[in-house]
Each structure stands twice: as structure tokens, then as C-alpha cells.
Amino acid sequence: MIITTCETIPGKELEYLGLVSGAIVAGFAGNRKILNAVVAKMVGGLEEELSSAASGQGADAVVGVKFLFEQSVNLAIGTAVKFK
């Protein structure tokens, strides 16, 4: 599953299926090295959530992904697409 913040995928014609989203609830505190590791883990978890939601729609990819990190709730939203 391709997950990208880009609106298009070079060389691919896309059929738009609809919005998909994911959320993770997690609190964290600590130094920058620890926070970077936690954020990387959260992004990975959000990508898994998006991939699962998009697969349920028969998608090949999720484009236009946006991440939002707010205190203990972390969200991701994107558009599920199928390759033509």
C-alpha cells in the first residue's frame, strides 16, 4: 500500500474512492530523542490505520495524507485511490 502526502503518484492514473482516517490515542513526555522515536512510532501506527481503512475500500494507495498531532490524540486523513 502506497501512503503519501502527495496528491498524485507519478506514472499512475487514479480513481478516487473516498476519505479514510486513522486515530491513535497516546500521551508522551521526555527529551527530543525519545519524542522523535515516539512520533515515528505514531506515524507508523497511523499509516497502518490508513492502510487498513483503504484496503477495506479496495484501494491501492492513500494520497494527500495529512497528520495532526494534538496532545494525546493523533489523527491522519487521506484519500483512498485505486490505480486505473
Side-chain angles (χ1 to χ4, degrees):
M1 175 77 57
I2 296 172
I3 298 177
T4 180
T5 57
C6 298
E7 299 295 328
T8 61
I9 298 173
K12 300 288 185 184
E13 189 175 344
L14 306 176
E15 174 186 346
Y16 295 90
L17 302 176
L19 292 176
V20 290
S21 62
I24 294 177
V25 177
F28 57 88
N31 66 35
R32 185 187 320 207
K33 187 174 182 179
I34 293 171
L35 290 177
N36 286 341
V38 169
V39 169
K41 187 174 182 177
M42 281 191 252
V43 168
L46 289 167
E47 287 176 337
E48 287 178 21
E49 292 282 324
L50 289 176
S51 179
S52 177
S55 291
Q57 293 186 23
D60 296 310
V62 181
V63 298
V65 174
K66 305 288 187 259
F67 294 99
L68 174 65
F69 298 97
E70 289 287 333
Q71 294 181 352
S72 63
V73 177
N74 306 290
L75 307 169
I77 189 168
T79 303
V81 298
K82 189 167 191 65
F83 300 147
K84 290 185 176 180

